[in-house]
């Protein structure tokens, strides 16, 4: 059984951008990067991308939608890209899986398709090496598997330095590791924190990130992911919010803790909205909510994008979710996913 890594996939896209692939593993950031690489290989003409770049979110997935996408001929090109994002093979019924396998078998020899089924971090279980999971084994017969493991701290530190350098900002290896220690190893989160840090130091006339900057600006891992999740959900970016949740789920953070953070953040955003409406400043917010002034500024920006009615509705949904979580026990993560989809 041949399993590619991210670098192998990128090389393959340079020479032969076709075939069926299954992305799996913990690192969603690199999955998204490879989707961009595939898109650029198949759809270099932006004008035709709307015809030859078909994306289906797993929440909207049906076998009919997938088959229709694969059957459609590419428009003024040799091939087209079909992507199913955030797949959870473990949540699919056996009948739906068999239908999927049948579709893959029927279309796998069609050279006009580049199909990528991108699983969530826990959406495909490889199982032990000597006895692979049956779904994993069947997929390996019908598509090329591409594994995205969480990067090791040394590799991440190099990536952090390179990411900073692309923004004309320097960071030492020690400070890159400090950032990873605080923000966590999820590359989506790190990219967001690097963006803030680079903006912060450049605004202050410097081009080097220090340990003091990291302690001042960076939000600890769980809080940072939850803030990204709440903002994405509030903005209607459901897949981005579910992606942030899948990262926390992969880290095995207890769902009660995740929901508690989500509920607390939405409550703080509602209070922020009230305080701003009554004429309070960001400094006042920091004092009233007992948070750092920098974070108070982030809260203010998020609260400005939401209406009172929207925040009240979200808090009502949080109350319902709290009751449901106390009733369903092991299905707690499902309740959080449902909350995200309802916001």
């Amino acid at each position: 059984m041949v399993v590619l890594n991210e670098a192998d996939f990128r090389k393959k896209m340079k020479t032969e951008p076709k075939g069926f692939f299954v992305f799996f593993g913990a690192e969603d950031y690199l999955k998204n990067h490879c989707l961009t690489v595939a898109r650029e290989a198949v759809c270099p003409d932006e004008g035709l991308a709307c015809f030859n770049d078909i994306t289906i979110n797993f929440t909207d997935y049906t076998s009919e939608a997938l088959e229709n996408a694969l059957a459609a001929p590419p428009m003024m090109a040799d091939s087209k890209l079909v992507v199913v994002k955030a797949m959870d093979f473990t949540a699919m019924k056996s009948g739906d899986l068999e239908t999927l396998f049948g579709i893959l078998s029927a279309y796998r020899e069609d050279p006009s398709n580049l199909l990528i089924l991108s699983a969530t971090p826990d959406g495909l279980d490889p199982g032990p090496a000597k006895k692979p999971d049956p779904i994993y084994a069947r997929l390996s017969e019908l598509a090329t598997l591409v594994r995205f493991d969480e990067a090791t701290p040394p590799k991440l530190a190099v990536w952090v330095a390179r990411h900073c350098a692309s923004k004309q900002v320097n960071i030492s290896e020690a400070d890159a590791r400090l950032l990873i220690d605080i923000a966590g190893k999820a590359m989506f989160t790190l990219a967001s924190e690097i963006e803030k840090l680079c903006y912060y130091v450049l605004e202050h006339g410097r081009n080097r990130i220090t340990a003091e900057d990291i302690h001042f600006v960076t939000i600890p891992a769980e809080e940072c992911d939850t803030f990204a999740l709440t903002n994405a959900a509030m903005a209607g970016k459901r897949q981005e919010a579910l992606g942030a949740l899948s990262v926390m789920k992969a880290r095995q953070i207890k769902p009660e803790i995740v929901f508690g953070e989500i509920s607390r953040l939405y409550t703080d955003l509602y209070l922020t909205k009230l305080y701003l409406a009554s004429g309070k400043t960001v400094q006042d917010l920091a004092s009233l909510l007992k948070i750092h002034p920098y974070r108070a500024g982030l809260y203010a920006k998020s609260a400005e994008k939401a209406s009172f009615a929207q925040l009240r509705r979200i808090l009502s949904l949080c109350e319902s979710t709290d009751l449901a979580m106390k009733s369903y026990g092991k299905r707690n993560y499902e309740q959080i996913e449902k909350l995200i989809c309802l916001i």
Side-chain angles (χ1 to χ4, degrees):
M1 183 186 298
V2 177
V3 180
L4 305 184
N5 60 28
E6 172 251 346
D8 296 330
F9 178 81
R10 286 191 286 107
K11 288 177 184 176
K12 196 168 183 64
M13 288 301 100
K14 290 180 180 179
T15 58
E16 196 178 13
K18 62 182 181 180
F20 287 7
F21 297 87
V22 176
F23 288 2
F24 72 101
E27 192 44 78
D28 279 341
Y29 184 92
L30 291 179
K31 290 176 195 170
N32 273 22
H33 176 66
C34 281
L35 288 178
T36 300
V37 170
R39 192 166 288 116
E40 290 172 350
V42 175
C43 307
D45 187 342
E46 285 293 327
L48 296 175
C50 59
F51 301 106
N52 298 325
D53 178 6
I54 304 168
T55 298
I56 304 168
N57 292 317
F58 185 61
T59 50
D60 305 316
Y61 169 84
T62 63
S63 57
E64 291 82 5
L66 176 59
E67 187 159 18
N68 288 340
L70 292 172
M75 180 69 71
M76 299 176 65
D78 294 330
S79 60
K80 66 180 184 297
L81 173 65
V82 178
V83 177
V84 184
K85 294 187 75 174
M87 285 207 77
D88 187 351
F89 294 99
T90 65
M92 295 178 71
K93 296 178 181 178
S94 58
D96 293 334
L97 281 168
E98 287 303 320
T99 302
L100 170 62
F101 297 149
I103 293 171
L104 297 181
S105 180
Y107 288 91
R108 63 185 300 198
E109 300 301 327
D110 184 349
S112 69
N113 286 311
L114 169 57
L115 171 67
I116 299 175
L117 305 178
S118 184
T120 58
D122 56 348
L124 178 61
D125 178 17
K130 291 184 179 179
K131 189 178 180 182
D133 177 84
I135 298 173
Y136 179 84
R138 189 73 183 278
L139 285 170
S140 72
E141 297 169 359
L142 299 167
T144 302
L145 300 174
V146 187
R147 186 176 196 127
F148 294 82
D149 288 323
E150 192 175 66
T152 61
K155 287 184 177 180
L156 270 181
V158 172
W159 178 82
V160 166
R162 192 184 305 127
H163 209 66
C164 290
S166 71
K167 302 178 186 301
Q168 311 303 312
V169 173
N170 299 315
I171 186 171
S172 70
E173 181 181 350
D175 287 337
R177 289 190 177 234
L178 173 64
L179 175 60
I180 294 164
D181 288 342
I182 294 175
K185 293 188 288 185
M187 293 174 80
F188 266 125
T189 303
L190 284 169
S192 175
E193 292 302 304
I194 290 168
E195 190 82 25
K196 289 191 296 181
L197 281 162
C198 290
Y199 177 80
Y200 177 79
V201 298
L202 289 172
E203 275 293 297
H204 285 77
R206 296 184 281 117
N207 66 351
R208 175 171 287 277
I209 295 170
T210 66
E212 289 75 18
D213 297 326
I214 293 169
H215 284 296
F216 183 72
V217 172
T218 305
I219 300 173
E222 281 113 12
E223 292 182 31
C224 184
D225 288 343
T226 309
F227 191 65
L229 185 158
T230 53
N231 275 338
M234 203 160 54
K237 299 176 181 177
R238 182 188 302 171
Q239 285 306 124
E240 190 175 319
L242 289 171
L245 181 66
S246 69
V247 170
M248 290 184 273
K249 191 175 180 181
R251 289 185 194 153
Q252 299 183 331
I253 301 172
K254 290 183 179 180
E256 298 91 333
I257 294 174
V258 174
F259 174 70
E261 281 293 311
I262 292 171
S263 182
R264 181 185 64 78
L265 273 169
Y266 278 127
T267 301
D268 282 351
L269 289 177
Y270 185 72
L271 289 172
T272 296
K273 188 86 175 170
L274 286 172
Y275 288 141
L276 291 174
S278 66
K280 301 293 185 185
T281 66
V282 170
Q283 288 295 331
D284 295 330
L285 282 177
S287 177
L288 289 163
L289 297 177
K290 295 181 174 58
I291 57 177
H292 196 281
Y294 180 80
R295 193 182 305 183
L298 295 177
Y299 281 19
K301 288 180 182 178
S302 294
E304 286 172 1
K305 297 174 184 177
S307 66
F308 278 114
Q310 183 184 13
L311 288 169
R312 280 194 291 266
R313 178 177 170 275
I314 291 172
L315 289 175
S316 176
L317 289 170
C318 285
E319 185 178 357
S320 299
T321 301
D322 184 40
L323 290 171
M325 288 182 71
K326 290 171 180 173
S327 303
Y328 286 97
K330 292 183 179 179
R331 296 178 62 198
N332 285 345
Y333 262 110
E334 291 181 28
Q335 299 303 319
I336 299 175
E337 290 163 359
K338 182 179 178 182
L339 169 66
I340 290 170
C341 294
L342 290 173
I343 290 175

